[in-house]
Amino acid sequence: MATKRIIDDDRLTAVGLLVEVHRGLTNKFATRLAHHGLSENELEILLRLGRTPNCQLRMSDLAAQTSLTTSGVTRVVDRLERGGLVNRASCDTDRRGTWAVLTDAGLERVTAAVAEHIEDVDRWYTGLLTPEQLSALVEALRIVRDTVRPEAVAGVAEAARARPRIAATSP
């Protein structure tokens, strides 16, 4: 009987499949996002702001939640701010802190992009699974995410407590 080689370990297969799926989905999603004038990073920031209480997060929390560096988040928010999709506001509790606040125009843009993006998500990802498989996958991914990236929800509770600093409108 042949011994199983360590390089054939199912744990390596699981990690490899996750990486391959991420790369494949990123490629599948890119075209439609470009149609809306958004990069993957811009969509992620707009979604994170839009799905957070008061549609605002501190810049440092955005960096912690994403795969971007602090300077990377600053560059993306700069572009979004120039486009009227995000505003910056000072943080009452931390003079060094700055909020990124989704504008009405930003919410409209991300909503329009997501309306089509969700079709791609369903076509290439969630629609391939049964409801039970999807539920189990989401639960499993949360367990892993909460262990390896607990900062992925950084600042959400603070954003819920903070009063909005500026109106979420476009200039």
Side-chain angles (χ1 to χ4, degrees):
M1 174 160 108
T3 7
K4 188 172 182 177
R5 303 176 312 163
I6 194 163
I7 62 172
D8 296 325
D9 192 301
D10 287 341
R11 293 171 292 188
L12 295 176
T13 302
V15 169
L17 286 169
L18 185 62
V19 169
E20 289 173 15
V21 165
H22 177 263
R23 287 181 185 148
L25 289 173
T26 298
N27 291 337
K28 296 290 186 190
F29 298 159
T31 303
R32 200 163 333 209
L33 288 177
H35 170 74
H36 287 278
L38 295 172
S39 69
E40 180 183 1
N41 290 334
E42 291 166 336
L43 177 68
E44 181 178 13
I45 286 178
L46 292 173
L47 274 174
R48 287 185 182 273
L49 291 173
R51 293 175 62 147
T52 301
N54 297 320
C55 293
Q56 65 183 19
L57 279 168
R58 288 180 352 155
M59 295 285 288
S60 58
D61 294 331
L62 268 174
Q65 287 188 20
T66 65
S67 58
L68 298 170
T69 63
T70 303
S71 61
V73 166
T74 298
R75 284 190 299 275
V76 173
V77 170
D78 284 346
R79 283 194 309 270
L80 294 170
E81 190 172 32
R82 281 191 302 273
L85 305 178
V86 171
N87 286 326
R88 283 187 171 93
S90 60
C91 179
D92 283 344
T93 59
D94 179 2
R95 290 186 324 189
R96 295 172 298 164
T98 302
W99 293 102
V101 183
L102 189 64
T103 64
D104 289 342
L107 183 58
E108 287 175 23
R109 174 75 87 55
V110 72
T111 300
V114 166
E116 291 184 8
H117 178 63
I118 200 75
E119 293 174 7
D120 287 343
V121 169
D122 194 50
R123 178 179 181 192
W124 300 110
Y125 186 42
T126 58
L128 302 173
L129 307 173
T130 66
E132 295 79 20
Q133 290 171 322
L134 180 58
S135 180
L137 177 63
V138 168
E139 181 181 340
L141 289 173
R142 274 205 176 100
I143 290 168
V144 176
R145 189 271 323 263
D146 291 348
T147 301
V148 300
R149 294 218 51 229
E151 67 277 9
V153 294
V156 172
E158 183 180 357
R161 289 189 305 272
R163 72 174 201 271
R165 293 283 298 144
I166 56 177
T169 58
S170 303

